Amino acid sequence: MNETLFHFVNQFAGSNGFLDDTMKFFAGKLVWVMIGIMAVLWFTGKLENQRIAFNSVLTAMLALGIGMFVIGPMIDHPRPFVSLTVNQLITHDADPSFPSDHSTFAFSLAFAAFLIKRKIGSVLLVLAALTGIGRVFVGVHFPFDVMGGMVLALICAFIVHILHRQTEPALKWCVRLYRKVTFQRQA
């Protein structure tokens, strides 16, 4: 099923220059747009927005740490271009593909934001989904790699959200430091 879904999405790669360029952007650069959104949220100076950015960073750190250093080496699943004939649009190392780091990161930001503010979280979820689709389209991930990253991110977002009382002092310290550095009055 994983290979069938992969081929269904990847079969369109290389057939349309505009679509290829769009999917390459989704696969590699859309996460930078999401990082930019997090930066804007932080720099608004509003505590709720700063909490979104802070929780998103914590979630991403936790999820990527687990994905890259525990799950990835344990599962050691090959990338599509290693085990199949694919339409590969971007170069990538032949490291383990499960879970997708890009998808884990993107969905970490999105789910953490969604648990605090549904509107911005929904926008980020769309961007995260486009990132995942792009990773499959360009030939560097299987659909289950993306879904694995999504599930891992969701679990980690819930953990960070549940532990908000324990992380609140760190958030407040970061906010105080930010306000000192930017010469803002303490709220």
Side-chain angles (χ1 to χ4, degrees), residues 26-99:
F26 289 167
K29 305 236 181 337
L30 195 54
V31 292
W32 290 102
V33 173
M34 297 176 76
I35 291 169
I37 291 169
M38 288 297 140
V40 167
L41 287 170
W42 181 266
F43 290 120
T44 64
K46 296 179 182 174
L47 185 59
E48 183 181 40
N49 291 343
Q50 291 174 320
R51 182 173 284 115
I52 291 169
F54 182 81
N55 281 11
S56 294
V57 168
L58 284 182
T59 299
M61 288 171 39
L62 178 61
L64 286 171
I66 293 170
M68 293 170 73
F69 300 112
V70 179
I71 297 172
M74 200 165 55
I75 306 265
D76 197 25
H77 191 267
R79 291 185 179 271
F81 60 83
V82 172
S83 59
L84 304 171
T85 302
V86 304
N87 300 317
Q88 187 178 350
L89 299 182
I90 62 173
T91 59
H92 201 291
D93 293 334
D95 57 346
S97 70
F98 186 88

Side-chain angles (χ1 to χ4, degrees), residues 39-168:
V40 167
L41 287 170
W42 181 266
F43 290 120
T44 64
K46 296 179 182 174
L47 185 59
E48 183 181 40
N49 291 343
Q50 291 174 320
R51 182 173 284 115
I52 291 169
F54 182 81
N55 281 11
S56 294
V57 168
L58 284 182
T59 299
M61 288 171 39
L62 178 61
L64 286 171
I66 293 170
M68 293 170 73
F69 300 112
V70 179
I71 297 172
M74 200 165 55
I75 306 265
D76 197 25
H77 191 267
R79 291 185 179 271
F81 60 83
V82 172
S83 59
L84 304 171
T85 302
V86 304
N87 300 317
Q88 187 178 350
L89 299 182
I90 62 173
T91 59
H92 201 291
D93 293 334
D95 57 346
S97 70
F98 186 88
S100 163
D101 295 341
H102 277 77
S103 295
T104 300
F105 180 77
F107 280 108
S108 291
L109 300 183
F111 285 130
F114 188 82
L115 291 172
I116 297 170
K117 205 179 224 178
R118 304 269 188 264
K119 197 175 205 178
I120 188 71
S122 296
V123 170
L124 291 169
L125 281 169
V126 169
L127 298 180
L130 291 173
T131 298
I133 292 166
R135 301 299 288 174
V136 176
F137 185 93
V138 301
V140 296
H141 278 293
F142 287 104
F144 287 1
D145 300 338
V146 172
M147 288 185 251
M150 181 179 72
V151 170
L152 176 60
L154 179 61
I155 292 167
C156 290
F158 272 119
I159 290 169
V160 168
H161 189 71
I162 289 167
L163 296 175
H164 74 277
R165 285 195 174 119
Q166 287 79 10
T167 62
E168 191 73 13

Side-chain angles (χ1 to χ4, degrees), residues 9-29:
V9 174
N10 182 251
Q11 71 180 329
F12 301 105
S15 63
N16 179 295
F18 176 75
L19 181 61
D20 290 348
D21 289 343
T22 301
M23 288 299 180
K24 285 193 272 188
F25 176 80
F26 289 167
K29 305 236 181 337

